Structures are given as structure tokens and as C-alpha cells.
Amino acid sequence: MIYQANNQKPRMTADFDQALVWSALLLLSIGLVMIYSASIAIAEAQFGPDRAGHYLLRHSAYLGVGLLLGLIAFQVPMQMWQKYVTYLLMTSILLLVLVLIPGIGHEVNGSQRWISLYVVNIQPSEFMKFCMVLYAADYVNRKAADLNSFFKGFVPIAVVLSIVGALLLLEPDFGAFFVVAALAMSILFLGGVSLKIFVSLIAILAFGLYELILSSPYRLNRVVAFMDPWADPYGKGYQLSHALIAFGRGEWLGVGLGGSVEKLFYLPEAHTDFLLSVLAEELGFAGVATVIVLFIWLITRAFVIGRLAAKLGSPFSALVAQGIGMWIGVQALINMGVNMGVLPTKGLTLPLLSFGGSSITAICIALAVLLRIDWESRQRLRGLNV
């Protein structure tokens, strides 16, 4: 509960949303356990038997950095985020440009998505998602009177999305592009954009996605493999077929923690994009259902926090909170859909669970901002109750 009625006045029950914190901590804890389980074999093969915990240690370090940056982000008032949102967006765009420059950008598996800092690699697209939530929320707040106008309300943000989208597709990072576009559209819809403009935006985006798939052989191959992975289980359908095998082996309660066979060099990216498949194999339907329930609870709390901020007259904070909820929800839904074979394979991690420094850091910062919004709302309620 955020507050309860007492003579028609709100009364605070806590200084933070405990349900949000606990759901996030549980997901992070499950992620640590599953990353260790899923990465033991590959870590031993790459670094030797005495380095079986390599990826666990690295992820723990990333998580520590993320929590530290989150603690710093929590200290920043929402007014400051709103004041400097344009500079944050421009910085993120600059990073997306730098990642494409040879010698600065680092290529992995045919995609140039990382900037090498020697000790670690950072992935600017992860931070762009966070910046897009802030920018879209501020845009809707500033353009509230013009949202029903095509030229004043739609064209400016469409230009920004086109620039960001073009840079992401040059990497290429189709998954990040889809998430960023979905976030901007969702926040526009929540902010009250004209239904006609919103439907037109969906139609344009759908047509663009269709053309992108047809114009790129590797994207088309992924769609073909998704339609029937068993037609070429050792080629185009390799990843999906092994993900489905992992889900099938898990049944109701799984084969036991650490007992996955698919993580033993059968399932590519077992500790990143396909972590859920290993979890399904080891913990079964019960484990997957638990993760889904925790995500639903976390996303619900984000929308509750956003609704309260809106009631207290903070539209920017409200849209940021709901945008963060949409970000986690959309990305988790896509990753789960890919793992379960209901969506084409995309390179998106499972938020809060999958291995990845930039991903976990960006999510920690976003959750800290969400808690800041909740804290500021509770302070206002406490003032009203005095």
C-alpha cells in the first residue's frame, strides 16, 4: 500500500515501495544464481577449471557498479532529470555515433554495438533506452497542447526517433531499435496523443519493420527459422530448436539446479539472451512462472507509482515511471517470447536476470529513478497529511 485513508487524508505507511524493491531484489538474486549455473561450462572452457565462476564474478561486479550508480541517481531530484534531459539524449546519440567509428567501436559476432574501455565494454543502446524514456516523457509534458497536431506534436519526435533508429540499425541492433520505438510510442499514447496520429505511427512503424526484414538476409533468415526451426535444426533453427528442447526437458519442476544439458555448448548465449531456457530446463514451469509473476508485480508497481505521481500533479514523473515499467515489460516480453519460440530470435537480454554490464547498470539506474519518483510522491503525501 502506498497510502491509506484516515479521515479523508492520506497517511504514509513507508518511505519506499517495498513490493517494488523486493521483486527487483528477487529477480536480481535469481539472475545471479542462473548466470553461475548457465556459464560454468563456457567459463571453464575459456579460462580453465579454476575460473568456473568467471561470469558470476563479472556480473556481480557489474551489479555492484549498477547499484552504486543507482544510489547516486536516487539522490537526483526529478526536476534535475527533466532540466537536463536534452543533454542526456544528445550524449547518448553521440555515443551511438562513436560506436560506429572504427577503432572506437568494438565488434562482437558481426555487430558493432560496444565501446571498448579495455577493462569493460559499454553498450550505448542500453543507456539510450533510459534516455528515450526521459526524453519522451519530457516531450509529452512540453507539447501537451500540441499532441493532436501532426506537424507540431508528431513530426519533431519522429525526427529524433529516425536519427536514433538509423544509428541503431547501422550497428545493427534491431532489438534495441524496436524497444526504443515502442517506448516512445507508449509514452506518447499514455500522454494523450491523438488516436489518429498514434494509429498512423503504428502503421508507419509496421511498414518500416516489414521493409527492414525483407531488405536484410539475416533478419529474413531469423523469421524463416522462427516459422519452422525444425526444418533446419542444425542451421537457421539451431538456437530456437535447442531453446525449445530445454523448455521440453524442464517439464513442471525441472531437472534440478545445475542439471541443464543444453547449457553444455548446445544452446548459444546460454547466460545472456537464452538464460530463460536454462532456467526452464533446471527449474521447470514453476521457475518460469515465478519469474513471470515477479515481472508482472514489478511492472504493476511502476504503473501504480506513475498513477500516484500523476494524481499529485507531476506529469513528467508519472510518464517516466510508467515508461520504465513499459521498458522492463516490453523487453522481458520479447526475450521470453524468443526463448519460447513465439517471436523471432532477437539479441535482447532478460532485464535484471541476464549477464550484461550495460544492461544491468542501465536497469539499476532506471529502478533508482523509479524509487525516487515514489519517494518524492510519498514526501508530498506526508506534507498533505501534516
Side-chain angles (χ1 to χ4, degrees):
M1 291 291 293
I2 296 180
Y3 64 89
Q4 59 188 28
N6 182 15
N7 296 325
Q8 305 301 317
K9 289 185 178 181
R11 180 170 64 85
M12 299 304 302
T13 58
D15 285 330
F16 60 91
D17 193 314
Q18 298 183 47
L20 173 68
V21 172
W22 280 110
S23 57
L25 287 176
L26 285 171
L27 285 168
L28 288 170
S29 300
I30 293 171
L32 281 171
V33 173
M34 293 311 306
I35 286 170
Y36 181 54
S37 177
S39 65
I40 290 176
I42 188 172
E44 288 183 343
Q46 290 178 338
F47 307 106
D50 58 331
R51 299 283 299 278
H54 173 81
Y55 288 102
L56 173 65
L57 292 175
R58 285 185 69 88
H59 189 75
S60 298
Y62 293 146
L63 181 56
V65 172
L67 292 175
L68 177 60
L69 293 178
L71 181 62
I72 295 172
F74 180 80
Q75 310 303 317
V76 181
M78 292 309 297
Q79 288 182 341
M80 293 291 288
W81 287 109
Q82 187 173 12
K83 181 178 179 180
Y84 294 104
V85 63
T86 303
Y87 299 104
L88 290 172
L89 180 72
M90 291 173 64
T91 301
S92 292
I93 291 175
L94 176 61
L95 290 174
L96 289 180
V97 172
L98 290 176
V99 82
L100 298 174
I101 299 176
I104 297 178
H106 181 61
E107 184 175 326
V108 177
N109 295 331
S111 296
Q112 196 160 318
R113 303 175 184 176
W114 295 266
I115 295 177
S116 177
L117 300 180
Y118 298 102
V119 178
V120 295
N121 296 325
I122 64 170
Q123 190 172 355
S125 59
E126 293 295 334
F127 299 99
M128 173 53 74
K129 297 170 188 174
F130 175 61
C131 290
M132 183 54 68
V133 169
L134 295 174
Y135 177 76
D138 176 63
Y139 181 87
V140 168
N141 190 51
R142 287 187 291 106
K143 296 277 189 175
D146 299 320
L147 287 180
N148 291 327
S149 169
F150 179 81
F151 289 103
K152 292 183 179 180
F154 169 71
V155 171
I157 196 168
V159 171
V160 173
L161 275 175
S162 298
I163 294 171
V164 172
L167 292 171
L168 289 172
L169 291 173
L170 285 172
E171 295 183 4
D173 195 344
F174 185 75
F177 164 70
F178 183 85
V179 172
V180 167
L183 288 175
M185 289 173 56
S186 300
I187 293 173
L188 283 173
F189 178 76
L190 292 169
V193 71
S194 165
L195 184 61
K196 181 170 65 175
I197 292 177
F198 183 72
V199 172
S200 300
L201 183 59
I202 291 178
I204 293 171
L205 182 61
F207 178 76
L209 294 176
Y210 176 76
E211 288 297 320
L212 285 172
I213 291 171
L214 288 184
S215 62
S216 175
Y218 90 92
R219 292 193 191 106
L220 186 59
N221 286 337
R222 285 187 171 185
V223 173
V224 171
F226 154 72
M227 298 299 292
D228 186 8
W230 306 110
D232 187 10
Y234 298 105
K236 299 174 184 177
Y238 183 81
Q239 281 184 311
L240 181 52
S241 61
H242 281 279
L244 294 176
I245 290 171
F247 269 86
R249 291 192 75 244
E251 298 185 349
W252 289 100
L253 299 177
V255 298
L257 187 62
S260 169
V261 172
E262 288 301 318
K263 69 184 181 184
L264 303 177
F265 309 106
Y266 294 103
L267 183 62
E269 311 297 339
H271 59 300
T272 56
D273 300 351
F274 286 89
L275 184 72
L276 187 69
S277 296
V278 177
L279 187 148
E281 186 178 2
E282 296 189 349
L283 304 181
F285 174 81
V288 174
T290 299
V291 168
I292 291 174
V293 168
L294 287 172
F295 271 116
I296 291 173
W297 189 241
L298 188 150
I299 295 162
T300 300
R301 298 314 303 167
F303 274 83
V304 169
I305 290 170
R307 188 173 64 215
L308 179 61
K311 288 180 179 178
L312 293 172
S314 301
F316 171 73
S317 295
L319 289 172
V320 170
Q322 293 173 348
I324 291 171
M326 287 297 301
W327 170 16
I328 295 173
V330 168
Q331 188 160 325
L333 184 65
I334 294 174
N335 180 276
M336 291 177 183
V338 168
N339 277 259
M340 297 178 188
V342 296
L343 290 174
T345 302
K346 287 307 314 149
L348 285 174
T349 57
L350 186 58
L352 296 167
L353 275 83
S354 293
F355 175 83
S358 298
S359 174
I360 201 69
T361 301
I363 288 290
C364 284
I365 293 172
L367 288 176
V369 171
L370 184 57
L371 282 172
R372 175 73 193 195
I373 295 169
D374 178 54
W375 184 83
E376 289 186 1
S377 295
R378 289 167 187 265
Q379 297 308 303
R380 291 194 188 97
L381 283 174
R382 181 174 282 114
L384 292 173
N385 197 39
V386 171

